[in-house]
Amino acid sequence: MSNRNRQYVAAGIFVLIFGGLLALATVYDLPVSFLLAEPGLVPGRYFSTSFLCNLVEVAAMAPIWGFATFAACVLVVYLHHRGGAARLLELPFLGLSVFAGSSFLRDMMKYLFQILGKEQVMKQLWFNVLMAAFGLLVTMLILMFSGRWIQEHMRQMLPFALAVICSCCCFLFVELIKNPMGRMRFRAMHFVGDFSYYTPWYQVSSAREQLGSLGLDRDYFKSFPSGHTFSGSMAYLVLLLPDLFENLQIRKWKVLSYVVPVCYTGFVAFFRIAAGAHFFSDVLVGGTMGFVAVQFFRWLFLHRLKGRFER
């Protein structure tokens, strides 16, 4: 069987598995959440009482910000050494790196403060200055200790950085879907004590309008798809490494490049359901969107356009 035929077969199997799981999720979304999430939820509390669920809530988005920070630094190094008019873009990408680096910590602190009921801290000037300083520090450390190595391996690093940035930017699609769909989270329904607001993943929910008089936070109605699972699925970016470095093009590393991100994304997905933050279909679609984004930009920059980076 030719390589192209194998790709077609793999794509067909992927679509069948995804379709089958989505069909199951459509039927069993609510029962699965009752089974996994309800034991950790208590009356009058929005967040789960489970330590692991809260840990995943705080830390699971690290891959998207970590990869984005490094990729932006790669582009800063590339533009700096390219010189000429290209250097005009150096500052924007430096800013992107600082933003992504600060968001790495900011997201963790945001969810931690929400769980502790101290969201007001995030509005303090000192907090925002501290987050910006952290992002700048991370950026400077990457450029200081990895800048020369990045420049020496720019033929591999440039397509990698472009694939990373484009994959991470697909998170915008998650946000564009969340608000119009308005699907109410399981833990939000548990909080108000009414599961009649449940809607399947494909149906636009009117729960936000119906419950408007209660003054509920918009986060209560952002279940579909899962942003945490999408962000966690950026761990799939390690799939690009065997394509870039010959010493990683052995069976062991290729297998690990799939096993590690699959396990991480599955771990995040499970505990997002267990936290009552998402339904099975939410995490399935969120994780799949991330996987597809990575595979598409992997093909585009590391295979389709590979020759352009080797010149």
Side-chain angles (χ1 to χ4, degrees):
M1 185 183 295
S2 68
N3 186 53
R4 175 164 293 186
N5 286 337
R6 284 197 296 269
Q7 290 175 345
Y8 287 145
V9 170
I13 293 173
F14 171 77
V15 170
L16 286 173
I17 292 174
F18 173 74
L21 289 174
L22 188 59
L24 286 172
T26 304
V27 176
Y28 295 107
D29 257 351
L30 200 54
V32 168
S33 289
F34 268 111
L35 177 66
L36 298 180
E38 194 174 37
L41 297 173
V42 297
R45 178 183 168 91
Y46 179 59
F47 292 97
S48 174
T49 58
S50 165
F51 172 78
L52 275 176
C53 288
N54 291 331
L55 178 64
V56 170
E57 185 115 28
V58 170
M61 294 185 71
I64 192 170
W65 298 122
F67 275 112
T69 303
F70 181 77
C73 286
V74 171
L75 293 174
V76 168
V77 173
Y78 169 74
L79 293 167
H80 180 79
H81 287 275
R82 185 177 177 85
R87 295 194 67 174
L88 295 174
L89 294 173
E90 186 178 344
L91 187 59
F93 280 107
L94 183 65
L96 176 61
S97 177
V98 173
F99 170 77
S102 64
S103 295
F104 183 93
L105 181 60
R106 181 187 295 274
D107 259 10
M108 293 185 183
M109 300 306 295
K110 178 183 77 172
Y111 289 108
L112 179 62
F113 287 141
Q114 285 179 345
I115 292 169
L116 297 175
K118 297 183 178 180
E119 298 96 323
Q120 67 276 7
V121 174
M122 295 182 292
K123 299 178 182 179
Q124 300 295 321
L125 177 61
W126 67 264
F127 174 79
N128 290 284
V129 170
L130 182 62
M131 294 301 102
F134 178 82
L136 181 61
L137 176 62
V138 170
T139 297
M140 292 300 101
L141 288 175
I142 292 174
L143 293 175
M144 184 183 303
F145 293 104
S146 302
R148 180 174 296 180
W149 181 89
I150 290 171
Q151 178 59 24
E152 292 172 352
H153 297 84
M154 188 56 70
R155 185 172 63 86
Q156 295 102 324
M157 287 294 98
L158 182 57
F160 173 75
L162 293 172
V164 168
I165 293 294
C166 291
S167 297
C168 292
C169 283
C170 288
F171 182 78
L172 295 174
F173 291 107
V174 174
E175 290 300 309
L176 287 173
I177 295 171
K178 275 180 176 287
N179 285 317
M181 293 303 294
R183 192 182 197 187
M184 196 170 182
R185 299 184 191 270
F186 180 85
R187 66 187 180 192
M189 289 184 281
H190 185 276
F191 182 77
V192 300
D194 190 347
F195 291 94
S196 67
Y197 295 105
Y198 169 80
T199 53
W201 62 270
Y202 54 81
Q203 180 179 327
V204 176
S205 174
S206 61
R208 184 162 49 204
E209 290 74 23
Q210 295 178 45
L211 295 170
S213 61
L214 297 181
L216 300 178
D217 193 284
R218 290 176 64 88
D219 181 72
Y220 284 42
F221 309 98
K222 299 176 70 173
S223 186
F224 178 84
S226 170
H228 271 75
T229 311
F230 178 93
S231 300
S233 73
M234 288 299 100
Y236 282 111
L237 287 164
V238 301
L239 290 172
L240 280 60
L241 299 181
D243 294 332
L244 296 172
F245 300 102
E246 291 185 4
N247 60 328
L248 298 180
Q249 293 175 1
I250 56 177
R251 187 176 184 84
K252 179 180 71 173
W253 291 114
K254 287 183 177 181
V255 170
L256 281 175
S257 70
Y258 273 95
V259 171
V260 171
V262 165
C263 291
Y264 182 82
T265 307
F267 179 84
V268 172
F270 176 85
F271 282 102
R272 292 308 282 156
I273 300 173
H278 293 288
F279 295 99
F280 181 15
S281 56
D282 301 336
V283 299
L284 177 64
V285 172
T288 301
M289 287 175 67
F291 176 76
V292 171
V294 169
Q295 290 287 33
F296 174 76
F297 291 113
R298 175 192 185 192
W299 167 80
L300 180 63
F301 290 111
L302 276 69
H303 297 281
R304 182 69 176 82
L305 301 177
K306 182 179 180 181
R308 298 193 179 186
F309 298 106
E310 294 179 344
R311 295 172 186 171

